[in-house]
Amino acid sequence: MNDITVTSECPELAEPYLRQVLDTAGLAVEYVRAERNTLYRRGADGEEIPVSDFAGGYGSVLLGHNHPEIVTRARELLTAQTPVHAQFSRHPYANHLAAALNRVIHRELGTDEPYFAIFGNSGAEAVEAAVKHAELDRGMRISALLEEADGRLTAARSAVADGATVPAEVCARLGVPATEGFASVEREIRRRNEKSAASPPLFLALEGGFHGKLVGSVQLTHNEGYRLPFKSLAAQARFVPNGDADHLRKIHAAERRTLLAADVVDGRITVTERELPVFCAFLVEPVQGEGGVHPLTAAFAGEIQRFCADIDCPVIVDEIQSGMGRTGALLASSRVGLRGDYYTLAKTLGGGIAKTSVMLVREARYRKEFEIVHSSTFAKDSFSCHIALTVLDLLERDGGRAYRRAEERGEALRAVLDSVHADFPDVVKEVRGRGLMLGLEFHDRSGASSAELRELAGSGLFGYFLAGHLLRRHRVRTFPTASAVNTLRFEPSLQVSDAELEQLRAGLREVCALLRKEAVAELLPSGD
């Protein structure tokens, strides 16, 4: 048998460049244990060093690391040898989870319309499933429209045979010779309809949005660094500035397509237009995570809802970071009056242990055919479904005590960030977010008098160096948002204590003081 012993001298093969980047910022730390809102690393003498976790698994551990009830449930399931690989069989636990999610969603939306569940393993996979389902639905709607147009052409042809006339203006509008009569009209209508129907789907998404890095979802992510290298692989998106309803209407005017139909009115052939569903879906985060923690306003949520209803474009609400109680409700979007045709949930759904996600589709949009053409090896398994049911129970227990806790802890965290902003307005630009999903944006330092600070500001790693200093000097773990590196994110668990909040306050105040003094050397790993 081969010796598979691994030593510390083995070469770095697991994403070595990322390791190098983390090293540069002082963030390449191995954590050896986790509980509540704390991660532990090893010190030089082997002792455990606690680190207050304000990154929270990018929103995955709202209930805390290794929550005792979730761990107990996981042990019970594994001890009972619960099946993980039992695909293509009956999964009652998945149905129980879907029903439990529906009960909460119905309460928050004030509706009784069912949402059907398609399970996955990650947030990006849930987005991919939503996009695939929306495109299946779009294709089926286009087929129905073409069939209807074909039927109306057949009826019009029969009417012409019975004496209906083809006005010259109809031929002129279509650019066909009047001498050929209805035959040229029919031929041109079919040609145009086939061309319009073959138009590739377009997606709408917000500037600053992040929906994953898989083949489809990366094209819906606004950050060009992630998207453009793969632009030829998937359908394209049109990005809308957050809050700009006029831009929405301009995009629609530029991209809309129609199908033509022939009708008979008073013995004369007329040609009418029907809107073709070019836009497959509009993807929205109620609170943008990677884009800098920008909340969606109720006013713009209403504009999106009305616009999409007018053109029959489904709304996919991406609740992967903001959902599952982080903002004080299961759905952050319910707080701003946005109702989705689709919802994607992940991260906290797995309780910080199971890797699971779900895509929910409302009954009015659901296509049963999707269940045959889409599948996922690990999805809908007993382990992850039972863990997710435990998570929902913890959120809903005692009349939703966890939601109230998220709001209360969020207000306490906001007070800390606001106090830092108030004392350092020349350093901190803004505090944004909702509940336990907050961001603190620093002013751009590219115009600083210090050449070292200008270089740091232009490195693309500004926020990572600040996070590295907080980790090394103050034992506080956070990260910048991926597409807005001047913004630090704060997504701790419900377990975050007042002492940890004060620890964060002290750390941020020192960072701000160093930036004010332009003391770059003290912010870098070599300065500690």
Side-chain angles (χ1 to χ4, degrees):
M1 182 177 293
N2 292 330
D3 182 2
I4 59 170
T5 302
V6 178
T7 67
S8 58
E9 289 76 29
C10 69
E12 191 79 33
L13 300 175
E15 301 184 9
Y17 177 67
L18 179 59
R19 163 70 185 270
Q20 181 184 343
V21 171
L22 293 174
D23 267 332
T24 301
L27 291 167
V29 171
E30 179 189 359
Y31 296 100
V32 296
R33 190 165 68 86
E35 64 176 346
R36 297 176 65 83
N37 201 64
T38 305
L39 287 161
Y40 294 88
R41 54 178 295 193
R42 292 280 185 207
D45 297 328
E47 77 282 10
E48 285 189 341
I49 299 174
V51 175
S52 295
D53 186 10
F54 283 88
Y58 298 101
S60 297
V61 285
L62 177 66
L63 297 172
H65 290 282
N66 291 312
H67 188 286
E69 286 194 45
I70 298 174
V71 170
T72 297
R73 185 65 177 130
R75 285 175 175 154
E76 291 171 351
L77 291 164
L78 294 175
T79 299
Q81 298 181 324
T82 195
V84 173
H85 295 286
Q87 302 95 320
F88 237 63
S89 62
R90 185 167 173 264
H91 298 263
Y93 32 79
N95 197 55
H96 296 159
L97 176 55
L101 287 166
N102 267 267
R103 283 193 292 272
V104 183
I105 290 170
H106 289 168
R107 183 187 72 223
E108 292 190 357
L109 298 183
T111 181
D112 59 1
E113 183 178 7
Y115 278 79
F116 295 95
I118 302 292
F119 291 94
N121 305 297
S122 69
E125 187 179 342
V127 169
E128 296 269 331
V131 166
K132 283 178 63 180
H133 186 284
E135 176 59 9
L136 177 69
D137 174 57
R138 189 185 80 95
M140 294 176 78
R141 283 188 286 144
I142 289 175
S143 294
L145 288 171
L146 287 172
E147 185 176 345
E148 178 189 348
D150 184 69
R152 289 164 72 176
L153 277 171
T154 299
R157 191 188 321 117
S158 296
V160 169
D162 290 338
T165 62
V166 182
E169 58 266 24
V170 169
C171 294
R173 174 185 170 186
L174 295 175
V176 298
T179 55
E180 295 185 20
F182 185 74
S184 62
V185 170
E186 180 177 7
R187 186 167 57 249
E188 181 63 12
I189 288 176
R190 290 189 185 281
R191 186 192 71 80
R192 291 193 186 189
N193 284 353
E194 288 174 6
K195 181 179 178 181
S196 292
S199 300
L202 294 176
F203 295 87
L204 293 164
L206 294 183
E207 290 185 0
F210 181 94
H211 302 287
K213 296 180 182 177
L214 300 182
V215 170
S217 57
V218 75
Q219 291 306 320
L220 311 171
T221 291
H222 184 238
N223 187 322
E224 291 185 347
Y226 300 145
R227 175 168 47 89
L228 292 186
F230 312 105
K231 65 180 180 180
S232 62
L233 292 180
Q236 302 300 298
R238 299 293 182 263
F239 293 98
V240 181
N242 200 336
D244 192 343
D246 288 339
H247 196 80
L248 258 182
R249 288 185 279 273
K250 289 176 183 176
I251 290 174
H252 176 247
E255 303 287 358
R256 71 184 294 263
R257 301 286 185 274
T258 59
L259 291 179
L260 301 179
D263 290 306
V264 183
V265 179
D266 297 329
R268 293 159 56 90
I269 298 297
T270 64
V271 175
T272 56
E273 291 185 351
R274 289 282 301 275
E275 184 90 10
L276 179 79
V278 172
F279 295 101
C280 188
F282 194 147
L283 285 94
V284 184
E285 293 169 283
V287 183
Q288 288 184 341
E290 306 304 327
V293 195
H294 292 276
L296 185 71
T297 67
F300 194 47
E303 293 278 6
I304 291 171
Q305 198 91 73
R306 287 187 290 274
F307 172 83
C308 289
D310 287 345
I311 68 168
D312 195 23
C313 172
V315 178
I316 299 175
V317 182
D318 183 339
E319 293 270 9
I320 290 162
Q321 276 199 56
S322 61
M324 296 303 300
R326 182 157 291 279
T327 67
L330 185 80
L331 302 175
S333 51
S334 69
R335 296 296 186 88
V336 293
L338 180 66
R339 177 176 174 178
D341 298 286
Y342 299 80
Y343 291 98
T344 58
L345 294 166
K347 294 190 181 288
T348 289
L349 182 66
I353 291 179
K355 297 174 178 64
T356 188
S357 65
V358 66
M359 181 271 282
L360 298 158
V361 195
R362 72 185 184 99
E363 184 178 41
R365 291 278 182 189
Y366 191 58
R367 299 286 188 174
K368 65 181 184 298
E369 295 84 355
F370 189 73
E371 299 174 25
I372 305 302
V373 298
H374 178 85
S375 61
S376 179
T377 298
F378 287 92
K380 205 169 62 172
D381 67 287
S382 173
F383 180 80
S384 65
C385 288
H386 279 109
I387 292 296
L389 281 164
T390 303
V391 169
L392 273 181
D393 176 63
L394 289 167
L395 291 175
E396 292 285 305
R397 190 177 296 174
D398 299 329
R401 182 179 60 186
Y403 303 127
R404 296 191 297 275
R405 173 77 175 175
E407 289 184 314
E408 183 274 322
R409 289 287 81 189
E411 289 171 2
L413 174 58
R414 180 71 183 243
V416 167
L417 301 182
D418 283 341
S419 72
V420 174
H421 181 206
D423 290 344
F424 295 91
D426 55 321
V427 178
V428 175
K429 181 178 180 179
E430 189 178 12
V431 176
R432 296 184 296 269
R434 293 197 181 101
L436 284 172
M437 188 175 178
L438 299 175
L440 183 145
E441 182 180 359
F442 291 88
H443 285 293
D444 179 22
R445 315 303 289 188
S446 58
S449 58
S450 161
E452 292 83 0
L453 185 52
R454 291 197 304 272
E455 182 180 358
L456 185 66
S459 68
L461 297 173
F462 179 77
Y464 292 97
F465 279 103
L466 302 188
H469 182 82
L470 286 168
L471 175 61
R472 297 186 309 276
R473 185 71 66 87
H474 296 277
R475 299 181 182 179
V476 166
R477 184 173 193 254
T478 187
F479 292 106
T481 56
S483 301
V485 294
N486 283 358
T487 299
L488 292 182
R489 73 173 82 220
F490 303 95
E491 299 183 57
S493 74
L494 300 176
Q495 311 287 347
V496 64
S497 66
D498 290 340
E500 288 171 316
L501 292 175
E502 289 307 311
Q503 184 181 350
L504 174 65
R505 189 198 307 269
L508 287 174
R509 289 184 63 83
E510 195 225 4
V511 164
C512 289
L514 292 174
L515 288 173
R516 179 179 279 173
K517 293 191 303 181
E518 300 191 351
V520 177
E522 295 182 57
L523 285 169
L524 303 180
S526 57
D528 289 344

